[in-house]
Amino acid sequence: MVVLSQPILDNLAQIKTCKPTSNIFTGIPIVDLSDTNAKKHIVKACQDFGFFKVINHGVSMEFLTRLETEAVKFFKSPQQEKEKSGPPNPFGYGNKNIGPNGDVGWVEYLLFSTNPEFLSNNARPEIPGISETLWGLVNEYVCLVRNMACEVLEMIGDELKIGGKDKLSKMIRDEKSDSCFRLNHYPACPSSELLQALSGRSLIGFGEHTDPQLISVLRSNNTSGLQICLRDGTWVSVPPDHTTFFFNVGDSLQVMTNGRFRSVKHRVLADSLKPRVSMIYFGGPPLSEKITPLSSVMEEGEESLYKEFTWCEYKKSAYKTRLGDNRLGLFEKSTNQ
Ligand SMILES: C=C1C[C@]23C[C@@]1(O)CC[C@H]2[C@@]12CC[C@H](O)[C@@](C)(C(=O)O1)[C@H]2[C@@H]3C(=O)O
Ligand SMILES: O=C(O)CCC(=O)C(=O)O
Ligand SMILES: [Fe+2]
């Protein structure tokens, strides 16, 4: 029998719960990057779900396992040691607290900037708990995944007939691109099973939110937990697949397509038995970039649904919000304008 001792109860007390949904979603679009029709599938998936899975990506499993193993090694180190790499303001180690506004989840993580000054070995900041090996693997991983994200953004550019198909990919390739990388570790949480039995609710690992950037690329181990919210508001579980990458549309790409692509709401639930390890690259534009609908997507006479803003303005505003807030709502034009 699992006993809920006072420290465990105190620990869990801060963390939100949600009504569980056990719907395993088998309809997630799968994009084969080697398929000549990939760009059509990507655009459709971005419109219908804001989410898709990528296969035939060319990144070796051996490399992915090496990074995951090194990340697990970090998360297994003593709590006191890990704390030396935090708090994440905005980069470094964080435990349970997510962002600056009081969000809490059953998760610990490392947040990195992907700027060359942050990741390349001659200019890294002093973060004592992160081994040279982990720095090196993160740097290599970010390069590979950025290339993959660029390839996908170029296919989108091509399919949407944006003049110069690299208009989107240029933003994340730019030296000044404001992108980041996150390693998340969700420890197994045996008491979540009891919580479920007693209250019928699930413990939140990472609360519901949309990603503010253009595009996010997620890879996880084979532990479930990730859920996405469909257009009709139902939450569905994404079957994990450690051999593939999941892409999701961020708020900025929703704006640049004037709402045609969906910035998908997602969350992670804690697992009672298995730890989850995920790694996410968030491709963001340079701070000065104007986030505004691309002229090629607009019909004649169509107006932007959003006020004009730069990525810097949006990011500043996003960091004042709670995870689950409708961040983009503040930038929508009111309908009677
Ligand atoms: C509560 C917050 C955490 C977050 C910054 C924010 O104020 C609102 C957006 C959050 C988010 C979600 C996607 C990424 O995980 C993240 C790094 C990002 O860019 O925006 C996080 C921020 C964070 O954890 O600091
Ligand atoms: O850890 C995951 O699987 C998803 C986390 C996430 O959505 C995020 O870090 O923004
Ligand atoms: Fe996210």
Side-chain angles (χ1 to χ4, degrees), residues 201-216:
R201 295 181 72 84
S202 302
L203 193 70
I204 297 276
F206 203 112
E208 68 174 74
H209 66 283
T210 58
D211 294 345
Q213 294 83 358
L214 290 161
I215 201 139
S216 313

Side-chain angles (χ1 to χ4, degrees), residues 182 184 206-207 209-212 216 218 226 248 264 266-267 280 282 323:
R182 170 168 215 142
N184 286 332
F206 203 112
H209 66 283
T210 58
D211 294 345
S216 313
L218 181 152
L226 179 65
N248 59 266
V264 64
H266 53 287
R267 68 183 180 193
I280 308 110
F282 303 94
L323 208 46

Side-chain angles (χ1 to χ4, degrees), residues 15-297:
I15 296 177
K16 274 198 182 162
T17 59
C18 65
K19 281 206 206 111
T21 44
S22 50
N23 312 348
I24 296 187
F25 191 52
T26 51
I28 289 164
I30 300 178
V31 173
D32 179 344
L33 279 191
S34 63
D35 176 354
T36 45
N37 283 322
K39 57 185 184 183
K40 287 202 168 25
H41 298 310
I42 292 172
V43 166
K44 180 149 183 14
C46 290
Q47 289 166 342
D48 294 349
F49 299 97
F51 190 83
F52 56 93
K53 165 166 156 167
V54 161
I55 60 169
N56 275 328
H57 44 71
V59 181
S60 90
M61 268 307 288
E62 185 272 332
F63 174 68
L64 294 171
T65 310
R66 256 196 298 143
L67 172 53
E68 189 182 313
T69 308
E70 201 57 31
V72 168
K73 205 158 131 192
F74 172 84
F75 289 119
K76 276 198 174 142
S77 57
Q79 191 59 34
Q80 264 176 314
E81 287 302 307
K82 291 188 282 191
E83 302 286 355
K84 289 183 189 159
S85 305
N89 48 22
F91 303 117
Y93 173 76
N95 184 22
K96 297 201 181 75
N97 297 310
I98 301 170
N101 306 313
D103 288 284
V104 182
W106 187 256
V107 65
E108 57 176 343
Y109 57 89
L110 276 171
L111 258 173
F112 300 81
S113 160
T114 66
N115 289 350
E117 319 89 72
F118 196 92
L119 282 187
S120 65
N121 57 359
N122 48 3
R124 286 171 193 152
E126 236 338 276
I127 305 188
I130 302 180
S131 68
E132 278 298 306
T133 318
L134 184 54
W135 273 121
L137 290 167
V138 167
N139 191 19
E140 206 177 321
Y141 179 86
V142 164
C143 291
L144 290 170
V145 172
R146 185 195 291 121
N147 283 340
M148 195 193 311
C150 284
E151 194 180 336
V152 165
L153 289 175
E154 278 161 22
M155 288 192 200
I156 292 174
D158 210 7
E159 185 63 14
L160 295 182
K161 310 212 167 11
I162 301 172
K165 66 174 185 179
D166 62 348
K167 172 132 175 66
L168 295 170
S169 61
K170 250 190 350 212
M171 294 186 204
I172 65 168
R173 261 208 214 288
D174 195 305
E175 283 246 316
K176 296 207 168 74
S177 142
D178 185 36
S179 300
C180 58
F181 175 68
R182 170 168 215 142
L183 281 169
N184 286 332
H185 173 233
Y186 303 87
C189 183
S191 29
S192 71
E193 204 173 24
L194 193 63
L195 182 84
Q196 172 104 55
L198 293 175
S199 67
R201 295 181 72 84
S202 302
L203 193 70
I204 297 276
F206 203 112
E208 68 174 74
H209 66 283
T210 58
D211 294 345
Q213 294 83 358
L214 290 161
I215 201 139
S216 313
V217 187
L218 181 152
R219 190 259 165 192
S220 77
N221 66 353
N222 254 345
T223 303
S224 58
L226 179 65
Q227 298 195 321
I228 59 169
C229 187
L230 303 181
R231 273 187 184 278
D232 66 2
T234 42
W235 282 97
V236 291
S237 295
V238 176
D241 181 350
H242 68 299
T243 65
T244 65
F245 291 88
F246 292 99
F247 275 64
N248 59 266
V249 170
D251 299 340
S252 301
L253 196 52
Q254 174 168 320
V255 174
M256 296 192 81
T257 56
N258 208 26
R260 285 164 177 77
F261 286 8
R262 279 189 74 218
S263 164
V264 64
K265 232 196 261 172
H266 53 287
R267 68 183 180 193
V268 179
L269 306 184
D271 190 288
S272 57
L273 299 175
K274 283 165 64 194
R276 175 178 166 90
V277 181
S278 61
M279 38 191 89
I280 308 110
Y281 165 79
F282 303 94
L287 288 171
S288 59
E289 190 76 41
K290 278 202 180 114
I291 309 299
T292 181
L294 298 156
S295 49
S296 69
V297 304

